[in-house]
Amino acid sequence: MNSPETKLRSIPRSVVEDIVRQVTLEHLGRQRGLAAPTLTVHASARHMHICREHMDVLFGPGSELTVDRPLFQPGNFAAKETVTLIGPRSRIISNLRILGPMRKESQIELAFTDAISLGFDNLPIRLSGNIEDTPGAVVMGPKGVVELRRGVIRAAIHVHMSPSEAAYFGVKQGDLMKLRVGGAAGTTFTSVHVRIDANSRLNVHMDTDEANACGLHLAKDIELLK
Ligand SMILES: [Zn+2]
């Protein structure tokens, strides 16, 4: 049987450090005006997340994704593999990039203009992974074709953060924040979904339409607000 001391000693150092960091940020950070965590904002171009079963069909049994370049969030990557997407009126987007690692269920994330050009009239805006009652599409790979029954969405604008970063901002999982982007016109996104994960780094994800609308590539003055 474990004594209480053993249990205490068995807490991983990283967890202790995280708790200390969180407490420090909560009690000292904002009151003393410490520098906010560095905010990065990225535009996600249209892409596909793929499950094992569809990988087998599209790229051959047992095939694996190969890393083209790592993404900002640890462990995520843009794969070399691409597919062709066929929409409801037989319109096509070719070279649709797959993002790894593989997931439990396939999902395709499009910007509004992608959806229009493919013939989707009312593509729902969803958080990644929440794909009930969403339309499907046909996906073509080098080794086969898959008909997705569901999973085509516009991704809701969201911010990834670690628990300590969430403590800094005073937000919890599922909260909505505001993202103010300065510039000639100036834009504020009022419903930025908070997604907290121990492995995440502070990072806003918007789609390419949203990035173009707010002039993200030129923006210098960006602020994430509760
Ligand atoms: Zn994201």
Side-chain angles (χ1 to χ4, degrees):
M1 273 228 313
N2 284 345
S3 71
E5 283 115 330
T6 312
K7 275 182 192 157
L8 273 178
R9 272 202 301 274
S10 72
I11 296 173
R13 187 187 171 85
S14 63
V15 172
V16 175
E17 285 172 352
D18 225 39
I19 293 166
V20 170
R21 206 160 29 234
Q22 189 165 332
V23 169
T24 307
L25 283 167
E26 250 175 335
H27 292 282
L28 304 173
R30 279 178 297 162
Q31 282 99 331
R32 294 197 186 164
L34 284 186
T38 305
L39 176 65
T40 53
V41 181
H42 288 142
S44 302
R46 56 182 179 247
H47 61 268
M48 177 178 189
H49 298 283
I50 193 167
C51 67
R52 177 71 263 171
E53 183 195 340
H54 293 159
M55 189 75 198
D56 286 344
V57 176
L58 296 172
F59 294 93
S63 55
E64 295 291 339
L65 293 171
T66 46
V67 177
D68 185 54
R69 68 183 169 88
L71 298 178
F72 187 77
Q73 294 301 333
N76 293 350
F77 60 92
K80 288 199 166 73
E81 287 75 16
T82 61
V83 293
T84 299
L85 177 60
I86 305 164
R89 288 181 213 133
S90 298
R91 296 189 196 147
I92 279 177
I93 285 180
S94 51
N95 298 317
L96 182 71
R97 181 76 49 191
I98 296 179
L99 301 190
M102 274 185 243
R103 290 201 183 173
K104 266 181 128 163
E105 203 166 355
S106 293
Q107 174 177 302
I108 290 170
E109 298 178 32
L110 302 176
F112 189 45
T113 45
D114 299 326
I116 290 169
S117 74
L118 268 180
F120 289 104
D121 292 330
N122 222 333
L123 204 61
I125 299 178
R126 293 292 178 82
L127 281 177
S128 193
N130 176 14
I131 58 171
E132 278 205 7
D133 299 319
T134 57
V138 172
V139 180
M140 224 165 56
K143 294 284 167 64
V145 176
V146 158
E147 182 166 5
L148 296 185
R149 287 180 301 105
R150 60 179 192 174
V152 185
I153 60 168
R154 288 169 65 192
I157 184 169
H158 58 276
V159 56
H160 297 280
M161 60 177 74
S162 67
S164 57
E165 287 159 344
Y168 174 87
F169 288 107
V171 295
K172 58 186 191 309
Q173 184 82 352
D175 279 359
L176 295 176
M177 297 183 77
K178 297 184 185 72
L179 182 77
R180 192 187 60 76
V181 184
T187 311
T188 300
F189 296 93
T190 56
S191 302
V192 181
H193 297 256
V194 173
R195 310 200 73 171
I196 302 168
D197 188 278
N199 297 316
S200 288
R201 301 161 66 191
L202 184 65
N203 181 209
V204 173
H205 279 164
M206 61 173 66
D207 68 26
T208 44
D209 282 357
E210 289 159 340
N212 290 340
C214 72
L216 182 64
H217 67 298
L218 294 172
K220 293 188 184 79
D221 171 27
I222 303 182
E223 201 178 4
L224 184 63
L225 305 158
K226 197 175 166 183

